[in-house]
Amino acid sequence: MSTLERVRCRLKAYPLALDAGVAAGVLVCMVVGSFVDPQGEDGVTWGVRSPDTLSLVLITVAAAALVLRRGAPRTVLAVTGTVALVECVTGDPRAPVAMAAVVALFTVASTTDRATTWRAGLLTMTVLTGAAMLAGPLPWYAQENLAIFAWTGIGATAGDAVRSRRAVVDAIRERAERAERTREEEARRRVAEERLRIARDLHDVVAHHIALVNVQAGVAAHVMDKRPDQAKEALAHVREASRSALNELRATVGLLRQSGDPEAPTEPAPGLSRLDELAGTFRSAGLQVEVARADQGTTLPSAVDLAAYRIIQEALTNVQKHAGPDARAEVSVVRVGPHIEVTVLDDGAGDDATTEIGGGHGLLGMRERVTALRGTLTTGPRYGGGFRVHVILPLKTRAAATGEPA
């Protein structure tokens, strides 16, 4: 940011100080103008004159009123216009008090509508110019009288131009913001539609082919002993259906991949059966991990098994990244009725132990996995230091309960 922009921002933050500075500048200009005499004996020459005491008082009052021009522009215009009117009628030599009225008229024009600007401008020009021509000490055709008409018109016109430009800029900014919101909403809508379409395609592929595999496998099991030829044919149908399902799944999921994404792994999805192996990888990396399990003999659905494994993996990764070099982690897996509970605790004292809550994707990914399985996730700092991740997952998923494919 440049120095000029910093000054502009600071002045906008203190509008009263800005108005006081403007009033001081106008006061200096009016005082200097009241002592300067542009009329000389040999034509237009510069000289010095002595203003009246009343003129100096009117100058001070008009300048003081300008300090409040932003809060009450019409009132300030009325005060400065009245002071300028008195000066036009009584001033001899005349002081440039009308300058304050011009500034006040500019403020009214820049902060109100065009109709108000027209009314205020015509009234100010008519009253001040008419009073100066008809009741002032100078002839009606004097240059000073015409200058009052010109300067009040310039003030109203300049203020209206500033207001119009500000309105155009605000309209452009509003259109840009509206267009940005529209683009974001359209992008979100298209993403949602694409996700729905892909989910529908996946459901159709899995439901059709798995149902076919199930039927053919049942046929093969039924005729295996008596009619092995028919069982062999049924198994061939199973193989063909599974191959078609894999091809269609690969094509559908390929729509979600980008050109630089790695190929999907072909080994089985990990689960809690590999928990000791997972803990060993973290121990080899320097993290002290203790594992306690009370779920022996529990058969978990594949989705729950994978989700529990990934949650523990992500939680231990966060411990290693944020909890400090001397942190210890405890992992417990317990079956409680129809649920499996997974808890990951650490005693780390790292300052950034909870940064994943606000800005990262780790806890967000955990929450999405748990929500998809209709479980609950609780995360937060522990009393005395450290962090806690607690997950409750149902052993019976919705797909298993309804008999639909997972």
Side-chain angles (χ1 to χ4, degrees):
M1 181 180 294
S2 63
T3 304
L4 181 60
E5 292 178 350
R6 285 197 297 269
V7 172
R8 184 181 303 172
C9 294
R10 186 167 299 179
L11 290 177
K12 287 183 178 180
Y14 302 97
L16 186 61
L18 176 61
D19 293 338
V22 171
V26 174
L27 175 63
V28 172
C29 293
M30 290 190 296
V31 170
V32 172
S34 64
F35 282 91
V36 174
D37 185 11
Q39 302 293 334
E41 297 179 356
D42 299 329
V44 181
T45 58
W46 298 99
V48 179
R49 62 182 180 182
S50 298
D52 296 337
T53 303
L54 178 61
S55 297
L56 295 178
V57 173
L58 295 177
I59 288 174
T60 304
V61 173
L66 291 179
V67 177
L68 304 176
R69 67 186 183 93
R70 199 184 301 268
R74 300 182 186 183
T75 304
V76 172
L77 177 61
V79 173
T80 55
T82 302
V83 172
L85 179 62
V86 174
E87 174 61 22
C88 290
V89 175
T90 62
D92 189 17
R94 184 179 297 169
V97 183
M99 182 182 297
V102 172
V103 175
L105 181 59
F106 170 85
T107 305
V108 171
S110 62
T111 55
T112 59
D113 52 42
R114 181 160 295 174
T116 304
T117 300
W118 274 94
R119 290 194 295 267
L122 289 176
L123 180 63
T124 304
M125 286 190 294
T126 302
V127 172
L128 293 183
T129 306
M133 289 182 175
L134 299 178
L138 299 176
W140 68 271
Y141 53 84
Q143 183 178 0
E144 287 82 351
N145 297 337
L146 299 178
I148 293 176
F149 179 83
W151 280 109
T152 50
I154 291 174
T157 304
D160 185 72
V162 170
R163 181 194 57 78
S164 300
R165 181 182 180 277
R166 188 184 299 122
V168 170
V169 172
D170 292 341
I172 293 174
R173 183 182 296 110
E174 183 181 358
R175 284 197 298 269
E177 293 175 354
R178 188 184 304 113
E180 183 67 22
R181 289 195 299 268
T182 303
R183 283 194 296 268
E184 293 177 355
E185 292 173 358
E186 179 67 16
R188 286 195 294 268
R189 184 186 64 81
R190 291 188 178 184
V191 168
E193 291 179 353
E194 185 66 14
R195 286 178 176 175
L196 181 61
R197 186 189 67 80
I198 294 175
R200 189 182 300 113
D201 292 344
L202 288 174
H203 179 271
D204 294 342
V205 169
V206 172
H208 172 71
H209 290 289
I210 297 302
L212 181 60
V213 167
N214 184 39
V215 171
Q216 295 295 337
V219 171
H222 181 69
V223 301
M224 179 67 70
D225 296 332
K226 297 181 180 180
R227 287 176 287 179
D229 294 338
Q230 188 176 355
K232 186 182 298 184
E233 183 180 355
L235 292 176
H237 287 303
V238 169
R239 183 174 59 184
E240 183 64 25
S242 61
R243 182 185 298 111
S244 299
L246 287 175
N247 291 334
E248 293 189 27
L249 285 174
R250 186 179 298 109
T252 303
V253 176
L255 298 175
L256 302 178
R257 294 186 177 275
Q258 300 179 358
S259 59
D261 290 344
E263 294 294 332
T266 57
E267 64 270 10
L272 292 181
S273 60
R274 298 174 57 183
L275 181 57
D276 293 334
E277 178 184 349
L278 176 65
T281 59
F282 283 95
R283 292 190 187 101
S284 62
L287 178 64
Q288 302 181 46
V289 182
E290 296 181 2
V291 178
R293 301 189 61 174
D295 63 327
Q296 287 75 10
T298 302
T299 301
L300 300 179
S302 58
V304 176
D305 201 17
L306 175 61
Y309 179 87
R310 293 302 187 194
I311 289 170
I312 295 173
Q313 183 183 40
E314 182 62 33
L316 291 178
T317 301
N318 289 341
V319 174
Q320 188 175 26
K321 290 167 58 177
H322 303 294
D326 299 328
R328 295 168 53 90
E330 299 178 3
V331 179
S332 65
V333 181
V334 181
R335 176 174 179 174
V336 181
H339 300 87
I340 191 80
E341 295 190 10
V342 177
T343 306
V344 180
L345 307 175
D346 72 82
D347 58 357
D351 295 334
D352 299 328
T354 61
T355 54
E356 284 277 322
I357 297 177
H361 300 281
L363 294 184
L364 180 61
M366 292 184 194
R367 194 169 301 279
E368 289 178 350
R369 289 182 182 274
V370 173
T371 303
L373 297 174
R374 302 203 169 188
T376 58
L377 171 68
T378 305
T379 61
R382 299 174 61 194
Y383 179 77
F387 202 74
R388 177 177 181 266
V389 176
H390 181 67
V391 179
I392 301 176
L393 298 174
L395 294 179
K396 194 172 185 180
T397 61
R398 182 177 58 177
T402 58
E404 296 178 358

